[in-house]
Amino acid sequence: MVCGMDKLRSVDAPLPENAEPDRAGQERAPHHTPRGHEDHMGHAGHAGHGGHDKHAGHDPEMFRRKFWLSLLLTLPIVATSEMVMRWFGYSLDFPGIAWVGPVLGTVVFLYGGWPFLAGAVAELRDRAPGMMLLISLAVVVAYVASAASSLGWFDLEFWWELAALITIMLLGHWQEMKAIGQAQGALAALAKLLPDDAERVTADGTERVPVEELTVGDVVLVRPGARVPADGRVVDGSAEVDESMITGESRPVPRTVGDRVVAGTVATDSAVRVEITAVGEDTALAGIARMVAQAQASGGRAQALADRFAALLFYVAVAAGVVTFAVWWLLGDPDNSVVRTVTVLVIACPHALGLAIPLVIALSTALAARSGILVKDRLALERMRTVDAVLFDKTGTLTKGQHKVVAVATAAGTPEATTAGKPPMTEDHLLAVAAAVEADSEHPLARAVVSAAKERTTPATATDFRSLTGRGVQARVDGTSYAVGGPALLREFGTSVPDDLRDTITGWEERGAAVLHLVRVDGADGAQVLGALALEDEVRPEAREAIAHLRELGVTTIAMVTGDARPVAEAVAADLGFVPGVDEVFAEVLPADKQRAVARLQERGLTVAMVGDGVNDAPALARADVGIAIGAGTDVAIESAGVVLAASDPRAVGGVVRLSRASYRKMLQNLGWAAGYNVVAIPLAAGALAWAGVALSPAVGAVLMSVSTIVVALNAQLLRRVRLSP
């Protein structure tokens, strides 16, 4: 039977500052419970995309069908056009040829042009002029001009240009929706990770039930190779679990009794029984989908700039169209005034501009999600490119929040051993005995001792285990009674640290290590200290890489904040490669005061990113220019952070910097291309160079507009080449 009273033992190092009691009552590092979300995963993929939220619900398949049918109708319109026949030197003549353009052109206008007309009505209703209104304006003007030509009001054949305009617009829109749909596929992929059914454990064995029927408290059997159907806790068995869909890390991680598992992860090598703790919208997977969708729908400074430019372009296009029509009419060329006006309206369509930012947002957040980086706020991601100081919380971020045996020391010998001619106890023997005594304890320090013994030697077997409240534990090994504990244990048995161990233990304590003593209780001369073990919160190996990576990216200041004593903090900082005089260590900081460390860095003119994982980090995460919750964090930490790292890997912070710089660069490139295209193309469409024989027809204008859209889409796709890992 495990006794929880050994939790009160006294050792010489503080427990993690954000520790919380587990069900046995002992102190342990916090778990990371992803927050629930408000939207069904099935709905997450339909979130708006910045300036393109007016396209929400547009189906790429619908545009594909409309494009192909409109193309089939456009071909005979073009083939029977007198203008086209003159260009290519052929002639067609059959009864009703004059009606091919008006009839089929009207069908193309109503069928193919309907999405644009409906979008224009929505923009007018919302008083938010934009891309759809400009397209519809061009299409309507072209249709009216064509109809007027067929009625004899103008000597102008326009049906083939109208049909070509709509068909090419449909092509561009289809490719745009297809590209955004591919980026949104990250959300659909998350939803597909959940199995359709699960094996629920019953009194008679197991039964297969739909995942939707699972409730909190159910126990399910997850077989090798199967996916976990809902968030839960392992209650029987152990397995290597592939969590790459959550963390982005390909290496499976061990999960045993008491460990949390997440819906959609895979048990790779053996079966486990899992007690369900969250289902449906409360699972971590659903929360991830919500955050990805929220990020794709959120805007930033670049998006706001694009939206303002699109609205401005509507008024510029209308004004340019009016001026073009008036100038060519006054020049005595009414036919050309219509052609030029329509061409201006087509060229001015901000299709590429509307796609420039939303597609980059969609691709960058999808790319981040696949790497375990969940972007909650687009503005936070944009700011990350300007960060020049990164402040890490120590416990659970730069360190594992779990103690590890880092040193073992034995006493030179006891009077009994010397008299009997026996050598002093070896380090491995001491560790084996200490592990045997600690074997039945669930205290984190006890588990660390047992784990270290298994790595170095074969633990002995103990009997008569009992907990000594507030002091340690005691058990019998090979007929001898031993105890393991801190200073309070030594006072309990009226003994002290041998002189030959005193300097060693003092050095450990100055580093902030937790010190456990192995005491032989029933010696002839009373209790004797046989040796000691030093346990420290283990520094993450990847933390050193993370800091080196940030330096390579140009981050000038690395800082750490902790509640530990300054000698402990400085020892950890030195281990991590902090540069004295450049990097900053904030030690002995109360949890509530961590935000002051952020403020001190900001007062020096630094743009600060705060990285933390606990509830007590939330104020600092909110105060920082960019808040990054690591290890999926707690509910409060996630609420306060703009970016969430699913894995407890600080190296991903550098990935956020890389992604921020790459996505912002793509946004500016796309905005520059889209804006520059319109600045150059509108005067050409208006006929500014008509005197030199340079003139753009509406159909050619539509082609150029679609080419501009494709260029923007291809440029955004280059984001896929960005490596987020060092």
Side-chain angles (χ1 to χ4, degrees):
M1 178 68 66
V2 175
C3 179
M5 299 304 292
D6 67 329
K7 69 184 183 294
L8 297 175
R9 71 177 67 186
S10 174
V11 294
D12 296 344
L15 288 163
E17 56 217 34
N18 52 1
E20 62 183 18
D22 70 357
R23 52 190 172 92
Q26 67 265 28
E27 295 290 321
R28 48 190 308 178
H31 349 278
H32 305 307
T33 306
R35 54 174 287 142
H37 70 106
E38 302 163 357
D39 303 317
H40 293 286
M41 282 191 63
H43 295 170
H46 298 294
H49 291 265
H52 261 212
D53 57 353
K54 299 166 188 175
H55 299 171
H58 282 186
D59 181 8
E61 181 63 21
M62 180 263 293
F63 278 102
R64 185 187 69 84
R65 291 194 303 267
K66 286 184 176 291
F67 163 71
W68 286 113
L69 183 54
S70 297
L71 179 61
L72 290 176
L73 296 177
T74 298
L75 291 177
I77 297 175
V78 173
T80 57
S81 165
E82 292 185 6
M83 181 182 299
V84 174
M85 286 190 284
R86 285 198 304 270
W87 286 351
F88 293 95
Y90 70 93
S91 65
L92 294 175
D93 190 14
F94 54 86
I97 188 173
W99 290 99
V100 172
V103 173
L104 297 185
T106 300
V107 173
V108 171
F109 172 72
L110 295 176
Y111 174 74
W114 179 255
F116 308 114
L117 299 175
V121 171
E123 290 184 350
L124 286 172
R125 184 174 58 247
D126 297 338
R127 298 182 180 179
M131 181 188 67
M132 302 300 272
L133 186 57
L134 275 178
I135 295 176
S136 297
L137 188 60
V139 168
V140 169
V141 170
Y143 180 77
V144 171
S146 300
S149 179
S150 295
L151 293 174
W153 297 353
F154 292 105
D155 184 15
L156 178 66
E157 183 188 359
F158 218 65
W159 289 110
W160 78 271
E161 294 176 293
L162 166 67
L165 169 61
I166 292 176
T167 300
I168 293 172
M169 289 290 186
L170 287 171
L171 173 62
H173 215 70
W174 170 30
Q175 293 303 311
E176 175 187 347
M177 293 296 101
K178 182 180 177 182
I180 292 180
Q182 288 172 345
Q184 289 178 331
L187 298 182
L190 287 176
K192 291 178 181 177
L193 289 174
L194 290 178
D196 296 327
D197 51 26
E199 266 190 275
R200 183 164 58 191
V201 177
T202 66
D204 300 325
T206 62
E207 61 178 353
R208 190 161 290 279
V209 298
V211 171
E212 294 78 11
E213 292 185 11
L214 293 177
T215 59
V216 174
D218 284 348
V219 176
V220 296
L221 175 63
V222 182
R223 298 184 184 275
R227 291 189 181 275
V228 178
D231 289 4
R233 193 180 302 276
V234 177
V235 294
D236 184 30
S238 62
E240 295 282 327
V241 178
D242 180 359
E243 297 183 346
S244 57
M245 42 74 67
I246 294 290
T247 65
E249 297 177 352
S250 59
R251 183 174 57 188
V253 293
R255 291 289 180 257
T256 187
V257 175
D259 291 338
R260 292 173 52 81
V261 289
V262 177
T265 56
V266 180
T268 61
D269 59 346
S270 59
V272 290
R273 280 178 164 79
V274 176
E275 180 184 357
I276 302 302
T277 58
V279 296
E281 299 176 9
D282 295 327
T283 62
L285 192 61
I288 289 172
R290 177 190 59 77
M291 282 189 284
V292 174
Q294 178 180 346
Q296 290 184 343
S298 67
R301 293 188 182 93
Q303 179 64 65
L305 177 62
D307 292 342
R308 287 195 299 269
F309 190 88
L312 176 63
L313 190 57
F314 167 75
Y315 299 107
V316 170
V318 171
V322 170
V323 171
T324 299
F325 183 86
V327 169
W328 283 99
W329 187 278
L330 293 174
L331 291 174
D333 194 345
D335 287 348
N336 212 26
S337 67
V338 175
V339 173
R340 295 293 108 218
T341 300
V342 173
T343 307
V344 166
L345 295 175
V346 172
I347 288 292
C349 169
H351 215 209
L353 184 65
L355 181 61
I357 303 304
L359 184 53
V360 172
I361 291 174
L363 287 171
S364 61
T365 51
L367 176 65
R370 285 196 294 272
S371 300
I373 300 171
L374 310 177
V375 180
K376 182 183 173 186
D377 179 13
R378 276 297 315 174
L379 192 56
L381 182 60
E382 284 188 24
R383 284 180 182 148
M384 199 65 192
R385 68 187 176 85
T386 66
V387 163
D388 41 29
V390 177
L391 174 64
F392 289 95
D393 175 54
K394 180 183 81 71
T395 304
T397 303
L398 295 175
T399 64
K400 292 184 176 180
Q402 300 174 352
H403 282 81
K404 178 183 180 181
V405 175
V406 295
V408 180
T410 61
T414 64
E416 294 177 59
T418 303
T419 301
K422 296 179 180 179
M425 179 177 283
T426 66
E427 291 184 0
D428 284 354
H429 186 200
L430 184 145
L431 187 57
V433 173
V437 176
E438 294 275 23
D440 287 344
S441 172
E442 282 195 350
H443 193 282
L445 296 182
R447 291 199 296 270
V449 172
V450 173
S451 176
K454 289 180 178 179
E455 293 177 1
R456 294 178 54 171
T457 184
T458 302
T461 302
T463 59
D464 301 333
F465 171 85
R466 67 190 183 97
S467 173
L468 306 175
T469 304
R471 301 177 299 282
V473 294
Q474 184 175 350
R476 188 169 293 276
V477 180
D478 295 332
T480 302
S481 181
Y482 296 95
V484 178
L489 180 74
L490 303 187
R491 292 192 294 271
E492 170 77 10
F493 288 107
T495 187
S496 61
V497 175
D499 291 340
D500 58 303
L501 286 181
R502 196 174 305 279
D503 290 343
T504 299
I505 290 176
T506 299
W508 291 347
E509 291 173 340
E510 289 177 351
R511 280 185 54 89
V515 179
L516 295 178
H517 307 88
L518 176 64
V519 179
R520 181 162 53 194
V521 176
D522 53 2
D525 295 328
Q528 297 290 328
V529 176
L530 303 181
L533 303 93
L535 298 92
E536 294 182 2
D537 186 3
E538 186 179 3
V539 172
R540 296 181 184 277
E542 57 270 23
R544 301 182 186 92
E545 297 179 37
I547 291 171
H549 185 207
L550 288 171
R551 295 194 197 284
E552 292 174 3
L553 293 172
V555 176
T556 58
T557 302
I558 306 296
M560 180 179 71
V561 61
T562 178
D564 291 343
R566 179 157 293 279
V568 178
E570 290 181 347
V572 172
D575 194 11
L576 290 168
F578 275 45
V579 178
V582 176
D583 299 325
E584 192 85 28
V585 177
F586 298 94
E588 302 175 13
V589 177
L590 295 175
D593 294 335
K594 289 185 178 181
Q595 60 176 327
R596 295 183 183 176
V598 176
R600 285 178 57 183
L601 292 172
Q602 290 174 329
E603 288 169 0
R604 288 159 46 184
L606 299 173
T607 302
V608 181
M610 166 69 188
V611 186
D613 71 335
V615 173
N616 54 50
D617 297 327
L621 291 170
R623 176 64 183 263
D625 297 282
V626 180
I628 302 176
I630 193 170
T634 61
D635 289 354
V636 178
I638 289 176
E639 189 67 29
S640 304
V643 178
V644 179
L645 307 181
S648 298
D649 189 345
R651 290 177 298 183
V653 178
V656 179
V657 176
R658 285 178 178 267
L659 180 62
S660 173
R661 293 175 180 176
S663 60
Y664 196 78
R665 185 165 57 248
K666 289 301 175 189
M667 288 180 189
L668 294 184
Q669 289 171 357
N670 282 353
L671 283 175
W673 170 265
Y677 160 80
N678 282 280
V679 168
V680 173
I682 287 178
L684 292 178
L689 296 181
W691 57 271
V694 178
L696 296 178
S697 69
V700 173
V703 170
L704 293 178
M705 184 279 302
S706 291
V707 168
S708 177
T709 299
I710 292 171
V711 169
V712 166
L714 290 177
N715 187 49
Q717 292 291 338
L718 293 177
L719 270 175
R720 299 182 184 277
R721 301 170 59 182
V722 176
R723 292 178 62 252
L724 301 187
S725 57

